[in-house]
């Protein structure tokens, strides 16, 4: 689990490298606050360049939004177009993590051993 506070001090590429290094080791990485859309796109782009049939099969990524109150933020956040990043993101090796069901309040995931 990586806290939002820990991620705040990192550049986008440092975040991506931290996540991918963890996944390469076979870990499931949980981000307390998730990534912004540009960082998520870059994560997928970098992952695609690192896929190797024998070593690294890619990632599975699921993002779970926060409550409606957390998503809307305050008046000034809405006024200035700031988006709340409060969401939980789970990232793991594609060959070990499979989402079985996802809705607004529940996510069921199957995690297999190597």
């Amino acid at each position: 689990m990586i806290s939002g506070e820990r991620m705040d001090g990192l550049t986008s590429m440092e975040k991506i490298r931290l996540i991918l290094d963890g996944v390469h080791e076979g870990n499931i990485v949980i981000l307390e606050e998730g990534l912004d859309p540009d960082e998520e796109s870059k994560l997928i782009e970098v992952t695609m360049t690192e896929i190797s049939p024998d070593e690294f099969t890619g990632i599975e990524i699921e993002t779970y939004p926060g409550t409606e109150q957390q998503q809307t933020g305050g008046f000034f956040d809405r006024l200035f177009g700031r988006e709340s990043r409060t969401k939980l993101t789970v990232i793991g090796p594609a060959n070990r993590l499979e989402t079985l069901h996802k809705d607004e309040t529940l996510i069921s995931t199957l995690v297999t051993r190597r």
Side-chain angles (χ1 to χ4, degrees):
M1 175 110 178
I2 302 173
S3 72
E5 194 173 284
R6 166 89 163 95
M7 295 291 274
D8 284 342
L10 301 176
T11 66
S12 292
M13 283 310 295
E14 289 172 331
K15 291 176 189 178
I16 291 167
R17 201 65 264 152
L18 178 67
I19 293 164
L20 286 178
D21 288 348
V23 174
H24 272 290
E25 293 171 5
N27 297 321
I28 296 171
V29 178
I30 302 171
L31 305 178
E32 179 185 31
E33 292 187 2
L35 300 170
D36 67 37
D38 290 336
E39 291 170 335
E40 220 170 280
S41 295
K42 189 67 176 171
L43 172 64
I44 293 167
E45 182 181 321
V46 172
T47 299
M48 297 303 283
T49 65
E50 295 185 8
I51 289 178
S52 167
D54 297 332
E55 297 174 20
F56 183 60
T57 59
I59 62 172
E60 181 76 25
I61 182 169
E62 284 293 339
T63 299
Y64 311 105
T67 64
E68 187 174 318
Q69 182 180 11
Q70 290 171 324
Q71 291 296 318
T72 58
F75 172 74
F76 288 109
D77 288 339
R78 291 191 307 264
L79 181 66
F80 292 109
R82 289 187 228 144
E83 186 178 314
S84 172
R85 288 180 34 185
T86 304
K87 57 187 173 181
L88 184 73
T89 300
V90 178
I91 305 164
N95 62 346
R96 293 193 54 214
L97 190 67
E98 180 183 346
T99 301
L100 303 175
H101 173 78
K102 177 182 174 182
D103 64 32
E104 293 176 9
T105 60
L106 176 71
I107 299 163
S108 300
T109 302
L110 175 66
V111 179
T112 59
R113 294 181 187 256
R114 288 192 226 187

